[in-house]
């Protein structure tokens, strides 16, 4: 009988800093049966080794589609099935269609607007001398960018924040379900408005119109699922990347000094943040579509599997002295954005926003420092980020 590691036994310490627990698990082996902490509290497999995690992320035997195992999870789901919950050929079709609209050129074209929004936020923030970085910069920048990109009206953004927070880091399953219902209703109405308005410059309007070479188009249900993924993944991860990047720099003054001396290290600082304290703690669930083994551990058909991105990114077998934050490190090979066919579509946008936000903040606030302890870490094991970060300058 497989021993089960009860992650609940570590209490709030695991939520605040899971890395010592992951290190302990890695020393015992790369794969473990675990009991998840609240709000989930059920058993699953957890992969914590880098080599095993990278292989699992690209293993077609680990399915993202629970319907392959007879699940009716998406029946009546207000958001419906989306790209993070399907396999080829369905995933290939959806990703191909969205990639026709969400191009690298579109992301790069947003650079001036991202800088403009950042400057506007800093203009409002800096005269006060102190602020909660999440409220003043880390949250409003990505939400403004993704909402402008997708064509979400300005007046809807406050409601959107409440929905998204409960979707990715809910306190209870009931909160998660309420968020899904609210998202489903909102996105149904938004897509209907886009269809009625006809062709537009925003990404969602283009997704309504985009067609494959064979004339294939996204259905309304697929559009809802696509918009849900793009809105959530397009801002929640970036909020936490910016906040964690600033937090890491302020708690490692030697690295902050290096960056201030040479802002050419900014790209390395963002990549090291992704490795050291990335915004996604574990990848979304996979299911064993057939019996298989990972590092000699047998998975039965139907077993649920979590891939620990944060755990893998601090594996000493992949990164030398992994618990050291080093902006000069060659961080290539980290798994913060996943690997394989589900590699994060929005990675270039997240990197661009983080570089602009952190670089602009450091240039305009040369005496930036922590202004007290940070807020609590978000609950659950999906996203990794701080609720608040008090800073002064």
């Amino acid at each position: 009988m497989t021993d089960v590691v009860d992650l609940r036994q570590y209490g709030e310490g695991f939520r605040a800093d899971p890395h010592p627990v992951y290190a302990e698990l890695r020393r015992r082996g790369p794969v473990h049966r675990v009991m998840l902490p609240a709000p989930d509290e059920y058993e699953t497999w957890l992969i914590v080794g880098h080599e095993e995690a990278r292989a699992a992320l690209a293993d077609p035997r680990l399915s993202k589609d629970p319907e392959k195992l007879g699940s009716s999870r998406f029946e009546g789901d207000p958001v419906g099935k989306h790209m993070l919950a399907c396999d080829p050929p369905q995933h290939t079709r959806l990703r191909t269609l969205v990639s026709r609209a969400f191009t690298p050129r579109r992301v790069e074209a947003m650079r001036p607007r991202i800088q403009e929004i950042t400057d506007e936020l800093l203009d409002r923030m800096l005269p006060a001398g102190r602020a909660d970085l999440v409220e003043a910069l880390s949250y409003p920048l990505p939400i403004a960018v993704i909402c402008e990109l997708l064509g979400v009206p300005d007046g809807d953004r406050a409601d959107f924040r409440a929905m998204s927070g409960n979707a990715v880091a809910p306190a209870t399953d009931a909160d998660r379900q309420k968020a899904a219902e609210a998202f489903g209703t909102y996105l149904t109405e938004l897509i209907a408005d886009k269809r009625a308005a006809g062709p537009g410059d925003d990404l969602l309007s283009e997704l309504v119109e985009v067609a494959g070479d064979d004339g294939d188009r996204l259905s309304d249900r697929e559009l809802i699922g696509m918009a849900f993924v793009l809105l959530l993944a397009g801002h929640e991860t970036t909020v936490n990347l910016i906040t964690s990047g600033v937090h890491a720099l302020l708690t490692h003054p030697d690295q902050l000094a290096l960056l201030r001396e040479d802002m050419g290290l900014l790209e390395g600082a963002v990549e090291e943040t992704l490795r050291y304290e990335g915004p996604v703690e574990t990848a979304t669930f996979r299911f064993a579509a057939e019996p298989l083994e990972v590092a000699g551990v047998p998975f039965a058909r139907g077993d649920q599997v979590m891939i620990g991105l944060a755990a893998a990114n601090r594996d000493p077998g992949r990164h030398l002295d992994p618990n050291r934050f080093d902006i000069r490190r060659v961080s290539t090979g980290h798994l913060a954005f996943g690997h394989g066919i589900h590699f994060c579509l929005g990675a270039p946008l997240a990197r661009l926003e983080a570089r602009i936000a952190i670089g602009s903040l450091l240039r305009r606030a040369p005496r930036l420092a922590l202004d007290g302890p940070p807020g609590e870490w978000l609950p659950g094991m999906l996203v990794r980020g701080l609720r608040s970060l008090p800073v002064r300058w």
Side-chain angles (χ1 to χ4, degrees), residues 16-275:
D17 184 8
H19 300 293
V21 176
Y22 291 147
E24 176 189 329
L25 292 176
R26 279 194 309 268
R27 284 192 292 269
R28 291 159 52 185
V31 184
H32 298 273
R33 188 75 178 168
V34 300
M35 170 65 76
L36 299 178
D40 300 299
E41 298 192 272
Y42 55 82
E43 287 187 19
T44 185
W45 290 105
L46 175 65
I47 299 175
V48 293
H50 181 278
E51 182 180 347
E52 293 78 13
R54 189 175 189 275
L57 287 166
D59 193 330
R61 298 173 299 174
L62 291 175
S63 170
K64 299 281 280 183
D65 187 352
E67 291 182 345
K68 282 189 174 178
L69 302 167
S71 170
S72 57
R73 171 184 162 189
F74 296 106
E75 286 183 14
D77 189 296
V79 172
K81 198 171 183 180
H82 48 72
M83 219 165 35
L84 294 182
C86 62
D87 301 325
Q90 186 178 15
H91 175 270
T92 308
R93 171 180 167 269
L94 292 175
R95 183 146 180 151
T96 298
L97 286 170
V98 73
S99 296
R100 286 175 176 260
F102 192 24
T103 61
R105 179 177 294 182
R106 182 187 283 272
V107 171
E108 183 57 33
M110 295 195 71
R111 182 186 293 272
R113 181 59 181 144
I114 295 171
Q115 185 66 64
E116 184 179 16
I117 296 169
T118 301
D119 291 339
E120 290 169 356
L121 291 169
L122 291 175
D123 287 344
R124 292 200 291 268
M125 168 182 156
L126 292 177
R130 56 175 24 120
D132 170 14
L133 188 76
V134 176
E135 289 294 326
L137 180 64
S138 301
Y139 180 81
L141 173 61
I143 193 66
V145 170
I146 198 64
C147 285
E148 285 193 15
L149 178 67
L150 285 167
V152 174
D154 291 354
D156 294 347
R157 293 178 189 178
D159 291 339
F160 173 71
R161 179 174 190 176
M163 288 187 288
S164 73
N166 280 328
V168 301
T172 66
D173 273 338
D175 288 339
R176 182 186 285 120
Q177 181 60 29
K178 286 178 184 176
E181 291 170 359
F183 258 122
T185 299
Y186 174 73
L187 292 173
T188 299
E189 294 172 356
L190 181 61
I191 288 165
D193 290 343
K194 298 293 182 185
R195 284 202 187 280
D201 294 334
D202 60 87
L203 179 59
L204 193 51
S205 292
E206 191 166 339
L207 287 172
V208 169
E209 301 293 329
V210 74
D213 294 335
D214 58 357
D216 181 29
R217 293 180 182 273
L218 295 168
S219 68
D220 279 0
R221 289 286 287 169
E222 289 170 339
L223 282 165
I224 291 169
M226 191 69 71
F228 175 74
V229 168
L230 291 173
L231 279 166
L232 276 186
H235 92 278
E236 282 287 351
T237 51
T238 311
V239 172
N240 297 322
L241 173 57
I242 294 169
T243 306
S244 293
V246 173
H247 180 249
L249 287 165
L250 294 181
T251 53
H252 296 82
D254 60 323
Q255 299 301 300
L256 177 60
L258 282 173
L259 182 54
R260 287 199 178 282
E261 291 169 10
D262 180 6
M263 289 300 286
L265 293 171
L266 181 58
E267 182 176 340
V270 170
E271 291 306 308
E272 178 66 343
T273 299
L274 286 163
R275 183 202 68 82

Side-chain angles (χ1 to χ4, degrees), residues 44 53 72 192 198 221 253 273 303 321 330 335 342 347:
T44 185
S72 57
R221 289 286 287 169
T273 299
D303 278 0
D321 196 4
V330 179
L335 300 176
H342 289 283

